[in-house]
Amino acid sequence: MQNQQEVQEKQKQFTRRGFLKMMGGIGLTGITATVAGCSTDPAGGKGWLPQQYQVASTFSTQVKGRIPIDPTNPSITRDDRKCILCGQCVEVCQRVQTVFGYYELPIKNDITCVNCGQCTLWCPTAAITERDDIDKVVAALENKDIHVVVQTAPATRVGLGEEFGMAPGTFVEGKQVSALKKLGFNAVFDTNFSADLTIFEEGTELIKRISGDIHEPLPQFTSCSPGWVKFCEYYYPDLLPHMSTCKSPQQMLGALIKTYYAKEKGIQPEKIFSVSIMPCTAKKFESARPEMNSAGKHAGKPELRDVDVVLTTRELARLIKSKGIDLNSLGDEKYDTLMGESTGAGLIFGATGGVMEAAIRSAYFLITKQDPPEALLNLTPIRGLQGCKEASVDIPGVGTIKVAVVHGLSNARPILEAVRKKEAPWQFIEFMCCPGGCISGGGQPRTSLPPSDDVRQARINSLYNADAHIYAKRKSYENQEVLALYEKFMDNPNSHLAHELLHTHYTDRGKQLTVKRNNA
């Protein structure tokens, strides 16, 4: 067989006193911070990086196979007519995400998949794509008896423009809002709002774990990435008690749209159709999880879903184009109020390390009652595309809080093994399923095949630039609409109602497969 050369091309007003009163009683005081880089990486450095990521490479044109995809998979689908059996889906699934090949055959009850959609980014013929749900949204928008609400994730605003000829990472937040309003959505909310909300809930949970107020193990794992959550459910179910019980920002906002928003606007929850625009194909799976019906259970109508439909960034682009809307010519519009305010801390959730950095900013304030120093607003040791990153915060009377950031599931395995062996020095670990975080989710534009670090870095840079120079507020505790939510509806973080609507539980999926222990 001849080899052929392939060239790969590489986002009510409250006083500070009101916030502190609300958050009072947590019980930790006094903190001094020192930040350390990931000097000697106990997780094995950057992890495995395929040659195809960064430089031109050749690979054999012979048949290499393909990954199995369940025909009922809610996230991805394959058009067999386009598949050339090149094996790139196997490459990313087995080598980058360590899913395919990490279990014994035959499979038991399902076709093992974490729904991350990285295979859709690597497939050179677009044979594998996200499952298209555009028609469901169009039907809802055309139904005048339904109130259609949409939310947009942080990373979509630094990816969408690429589908309209803009440079990678172009920040199109205002244009995206404008396009959604032109499409006819009755309300456009920002998932950054619920990212800020997540900091309140997850940060409070972490402090309670550290102080012993709740008896759950450390380190605490982040729970924003549904692909990562499902990976842990499959391969490390014994470590699920480490997982934060917080829902992802998407699912928090979905529950609030059909409770808090419905109550404030006098709309029956069953009359609301909730859409989310995500960079992530796993979000389609997440919204369909049986337990993601908190708003329905709260209203006595458990058949209602918190989020009805998830569209990827690519699907939104196709919808906009199908309606003859030119994104480039649109002016900037703002998100709707009530759940449209956000901070830079919520925005950087879209990048690897962003959740951790946002959490540290607010944790510092919560404990010290002072704004964090500049070093914690630019926490460079946990930024960037290194597979594992670390930082530490010294808290007098508590000790040194050590944190780690991991992205890409192959990089997660050694960290999880260290936790399993009780050799992990960290108290809090951020896990992101996709390399680079949400900015390179399986539903983002296919600017390069496979996704290059140049494109990833451009999107990440755009998020951090907006955090530093565009957003007026950079700390989650400054979000007045989040504070109003607690004042008017939920009282305090981790309250009974907060747990009912904003927290969740997990499933041991390890019983669904026979794990190859020598690879795990």
Side-chain angles (χ1 to χ4, degrees):
M1 289 281 189
Q2 266 191 331
N3 287 338
Q4 60 179 5
Q5 186 84 8
E6 277 206 347
V7 179
Q8 313 303 339
E9 301 213 18
K10 322 193 208 358
Q11 201 71 235
K12 200 174 168 188
Q13 295 292 318
F14 279 85
T15 63
R16 174 179 300 175
R17 182 179 303 170
F19 169 82
L20 292 172
K21 179 180 179 182
M22 179 186 72
M23 298 297 287
I26 297 298
L28 297 181
T29 58
I31 182 174
T32 57
T34 58
V35 177
C38 197
S39 51
T40 302
D41 191 345
K46 295 182 178 180
W48 182 86
L49 287 174
Q51 184 79 358
Q52 295 97 314
Y53 263 116
Q54 312 302 339
V55 298
S57 176
T58 61
F59 66 91
S60 176
T61 57
Q62 68 186 11
V63 170
K64 289 190 173 184
R66 63 187 187 183
I67 58 169
I69 299 177
D70 193 317
T72 64
N73 189 310
S75 298
I76 60 173
T77 186
R78 178 169 50 222
D79 183 345
D80 289 344
R81 296 168 299 180
K82 295 180 180 179
C83 179
I84 59 173
L85 298 172
C86 67
Q88 291 300 284
C89 56
V90 174
E91 180 87 353
V92 68
C93 191
Q94 184 168 21
R95 302 296 298 275
V96 178
Q97 298 298 65
T98 60
V99 175
F100 179 77
Y102 281 73
Y103 50 87
E104 298 283 4
L105 296 176
I107 59 173
K108 294 182 179 179
N109 299 318
D110 65 359
I111 295 177
T112 307
C113 177
V114 299
N115 307 93
C116 69
Q118 287 299 299
C119 54
T120 73
L121 298 180
W122 280 58
C123 179
T125 64
I128 306 177
T129 63
E130 70 271 68
R131 186 169 293 279
D132 195 314
D133 292 309
I134 294 175
D135 288 348
K136 297 177 184 178
V137 176
V138 171
L141 289 169
E142 292 175 350
N143 188 339
K144 302 307 177 185
D145 294 328
I146 297 178
H147 188 84
V148 189
V149 179
V150 66
Q151 58 170 298
T152 67
T156 62
R157 69 205 72 197
V158 295
L160 180 63
E162 295 166 35
E163 292 282 352
F164 294 85
M166 302 181 196
T170 301
F171 194 75
V172 295
E173 178 183 295
K175 291 180 182 294
Q176 180 175 249
V177 173
S178 181
L180 291 167
K181 292 187 175 183
K182 280 187 173 293
L183 287 169
F185 287 96
N186 299 106
V188 182
F189 290 141
D190 195 352
T191 316
N192 291 7
F193 165 88
S194 46
D196 284 329
L197 180 63
T198 299
I199 292 302
F200 281 72
E201 293 296 322
E202 195 168 59
T204 300
E205 180 185 1
L206 175 64
I207 289 171
K208 286 184 175 182
R209 288 190 189 218
I210 292 172
S211 64
D213 288 345
I214 58 175
H215 300 292
E216 297 293 345
L218 292 169
Q220 177 176 302
F221 299 163
T222 60
S223 54
C224 297
S225 170
W228 139 247
V229 169
K230 196 177 184 187
F231 177 84
C232 192
E233 289 177 324
Y234 270 132
Y235 294 104
Y236 296 88
D238 54 309
L239 299 184
L240 287 173
H242 291 267
M243 191 80 68
S244 168
T245 61
C246 289
K247 291 180 178 178
S248 72
Q250 169 184 271
Q251 294 304 132
M252 284 192 181
L253 192 50
L256 292 173
I257 285 170
K258 294 189 180 183
T259 53
Y260 176 55
Y261 175 74
K263 178 182 178 181
E264 289 293 310
K265 297 298 182 180
I267 305 172
Q268 295 178 334
E270 61 269 28
K271 293 292 186 180
I272 297 177
F273 191 86
S274 180
V275 179
S276 68
I277 311 299
M278 295 286 138
C280 173
T281 55
K283 290 294 181 182
K284 292 175 180 280
F285 166 81
E286 180 185 41
S287 69
R289 290 180 68 121
E291 65 271 19
M292 295 300 177
N293 63 339
S294 301
K297 288 190 291 186
H298 183 77
K301 300 177 180 180
E303 70 277 5
L304 296 180
R305 308 301 303 165
D306 292 337
V307 175
D308 294 294
V309 172
V310 175
L311 296 184
T312 64
T313 310
R314 295 193 299 263
E315 284 174 284
L316 175 60
R318 295 199 297 272
L319 177 56
I320 291 171
K321 292 172 183 177
S322 73
K323 298 303 180 180
I325 298 172
D326 178 13
L327 189 76
N328 290 272
S329 67
L330 295 180
D332 291 346
E333 294 195 44
K334 295 184 180 299
Y335 289 99
D336 291 307
T337 57
L338 192 68
M339 296 188 293
E341 182 180 350
S342 64
T343 70
L347 176 69
I348 61 175
F349 265 56
T352 170
V355 177
M356 184 64 68
E357 185 166 348
I360 289 174
R361 293 179 189 181
S362 286
Y364 185 94
F365 175 78
L366 176 61
I367 297 167
T368 68
K369 313 300 186 287
Q370 297 178 1
D371 287 331
E374 187 65 26
L376 296 188
L377 295 178
N378 300 280
L379 201 53
T380 54
I382 58 172
R383 293 185 180 184
L385 292 172
Q386 186 177 353
C388 168
K389 297 158 287 187
E390 292 179 289
S392 64
V393 181
D394 295 327
I395 305 179
V398 175
T400 299
I401 303 302
K402 295 183 177 181
V403 302
V405 170
V406 186
H407 60 110
L409 296 177
S410 61
N411 291 316
R413 285 186 178 272
I415 297 293
L416 292 166
E417 288 297 331
V419 175
R420 181 178 270 168
K421 295 174 183 177
K422 302 188 184 304
E423 296 174 354
W426 313 285
Q427 285 77 42
F428 194 23
I429 307 176
E430 175 199 305
F431 289 97
M432 285 289 178
C433 175
C434 298
C438 302
I439 52 89
S440 193
Q444 288 287 73
R446 291 155 48 95
T447 304
S448 61
L449 287 170
S452 74
D453 279 351
D454 282 353
V455 171
R456 290 192 182 96
Q457 195 63 58
R459 295 171 182 168
I460 289 173
N461 291 344
S462 185
L463 290 179
Y464 282 115
N465 178 70
D467 166 46
H469 303 294
I470 297 177
Y471 278 51
K473 301 174 181 178
R474 302 185 65 188
K475 287 88 72 177
S476 295
Y477 59 84
E478 296 177 320
N479 190 317
Q480 302 301 314
E481 289 185 355
V482 170
L483 299 179
L485 167 67
Y486 283 114
E487 171 73 9
K488 296 159 64 176
F489 191 61
M490 291 195 308
D491 296 327
N492 298 297
N494 284 208
S495 68
H496 176 77
L497 184 57
H499 268 281
E500 178 185 345
L501 298 179
L502 308 182
H503 293 251
T504 188
H505 61 272
Y506 305 103
T507 301
D508 180 350
R509 300 180 193 275
K511 303 169 185 176
Q512 304 292 341
L513 73 165
T514 303
V515 179
K516 297 174 73 171
R517 299 300 303 170
N518 60 318
N519 285 335

